[in-house]
């Protein structure tokens, strides 16, 4: 913080009337930069410092608010995920993910798979300047209490999504799933896939709750695909 003092110069000469100009720069996670001017009127000339009687503060309020924080989510497997943290509880962490500068979907992670959340100040600033900071206040269309509640939402709403099972031994080949939840069971879901050619698979496949490491809802990639894959081939059970 820097403080400067200067007597006002008027037509009838210089006056020691206690005009202070204070510039405050805040650094750290909740970074904000703003200027604050205090105009102090004294009871007696020369006593402005000891006997201020009136203070006028003019602050640009928007500059005082910290930017929504972009975080890098570190996990023991797979790539880190970057975005705004929308929900964090003992069961789930929900991220509004970004693919570079473009918003992606709502990514749901089992809380047990999140090893660290690191605030990325530079990306927080850049994405705010790109006009995306409002997305930090937009919640998902589902209730993120548990992984099961998210899957139940997908099932009931007939919403296509991406489900990943990155910790399974054959994750490189069978850990990435695009499609729809066909049925809910005690410990697994039945899932119908569509492939990279935009065609539905004939059968349904079981995915255990324990194997799921992330669910992505509202991804532009999946939503665009969904326009071209045709009607769902199975009745939801």
């Amino acid at each position: 913080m820097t403080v400067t003092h200067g007597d006002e110069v008027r037509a009838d000469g210089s006056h020691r009337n206690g005009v202070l100009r204070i510039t405050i720069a805040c650094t750290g996670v909740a970074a904000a930069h703003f200027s604050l001017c205090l105009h102090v009127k004294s009871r007696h000339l020369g006593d402005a410092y000891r006997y201020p009687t009136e203070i006028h503060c003019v602050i640009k309020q928007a500059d005082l608010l910290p930017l929504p924080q972009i975080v890098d989510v570190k996990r023991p497997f797979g790539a880190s995920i970057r975005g705004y943290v929308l929900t964090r509880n003992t069961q789930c962490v929900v991220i509004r993910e970004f693919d570079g500068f473009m918003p992606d979907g709502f990514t749901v992670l089992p809380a047990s798979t999140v090893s660290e959340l690191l605030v990325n100040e530079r990306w927080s600033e850049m994405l705010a300047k790109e006009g995306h900071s409002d997305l930090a206040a937009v919640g998902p269309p589902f209730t993120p209490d548990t992984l099961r509640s998210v899957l139940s939402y997908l099932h009931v709403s007939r919403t296509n999504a991406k489900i990943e099972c990155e910790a399974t031994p054959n994750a490189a080949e069978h850990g990435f799933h695009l499609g729809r939840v066909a049925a809910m069971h005690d410990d697994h879901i039945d899932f119908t896939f569509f492939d990279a050619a935009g065609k539905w698979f004939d059968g349904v496949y079981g995915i255990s709750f324990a194997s799921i490491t992330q669910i992505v809802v509202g991804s532009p990639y999946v939503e665009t695909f969904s326009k071209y894959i045709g009607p769902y081939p199975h009745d939801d059970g």
Side-chain angles (χ1 to χ4, degrees):
M1 178 178 74
T2 59
V3 180
T4 58
H5 170 264
D7 294 335
E8 283 190 341
V9 178
R10 301 176 182 172
D12 58 344
S14 178
H15 291 261
R16 181 177 176 79
N17 60 1
V19 175
L20 304 180
R21 294 191 179 277
I22 302 175
T23 301
I24 305 172
C26 302
T27 60
V29 173
H33 301 282
F34 58 94
S35 294
L36 166 65
C37 292
L38 303 181
H39 298 281
V40 181
K41 294 183 180 180
S42 63
R43 290 196 180 100
H44 304 285
L45 292 177
D47 290 338
Y49 303 113
R50 289 182 294 167
Y51 304 106
T53 59
E54 186 177 354
I55 297 177
H56 301 285
C57 300
V58 180
I59 303 172
K60 187 177 179 183
Q61 185 65 28
D63 289 343
L64 293 177
L65 301 176
L67 294 174
Q69 297 171 351
I70 288 289
V71 301
D72 293 329
V73 184
K74 303 298 182 181
R75 303 180 300 146
F77 41 75
S80 64
I81 293 172
R82 176 172 292 157
Y84 295 120
V85 178
L86 303 182
T87 300
R88 186 182 184 189
N89 56 44
T90 58
Q91 300 294 315
C92 295
V93 177
V94 180
I95 308 292
R96 183 58 188 264
E97 190 175 353
F98 279 80
D99 182 6
F101 288 95
M102 299 305 297
D104 206 335
F106 298 97
T107 299
V108 183
L109 307 170
S112 60
T113 68
V114 176
S115 56
E116 196 171 14
L117 297 173
L118 300 175
V119 173
N120 191 318
E121 293 186 31
R122 181 58 175 157
W123 275 95
S124 298
E125 178 185 0
M126 290 191 296
L127 289 174
K129 289 181 177 179
E130 287 297 308
H132 295 314
S133 58
D134 287 349
L135 294 178
V138 179
F142 48 83
T143 302
D145 293 335
T146 63
L147 206 65
R148 185 181 185 89
S149 68
V150 177
L151 293 167
S152 180
Y153 161 80
L154 295 175
H155 178 222
V156 173
S157 65
R158 301 170 179 256
T159 300
N160 296 334
K162 178 176 75 171
I163 295 179
E164 294 199 43
C165 304
E166 301 153 285
T168 56
N170 56 350
E173 184 177 357
H174 300 293
F176 182 89
H177 315 298
L178 302 178
R180 184 176 300 183
V181 177
M184 298 283 297
H185 302 282
D186 289 341
D187 60 353
H188 72 280
I189 59 171
D190 290 337
F191 196 79
T192 306
F193 302 89
F194 59 82
D195 61 21
K199 296 181 180 180
W200 287 105
F201 280 57
D202 291 334
V204 294
Y205 300 85
I207 301 176
S208 68
F209 292 157
S211 70
I212 296 174
T213 56
Q214 65 171 291
I215 305 169
V216 182
V217 182
S219 164
Y221 181 78
V222 174
E223 292 192 342
T224 301
F225 246 136
S226 297
K227 296 189 297 184
Y228 302 104
I229 56 177
Y232 183 63
H234 308 288
D235 290 332
D236 286 334

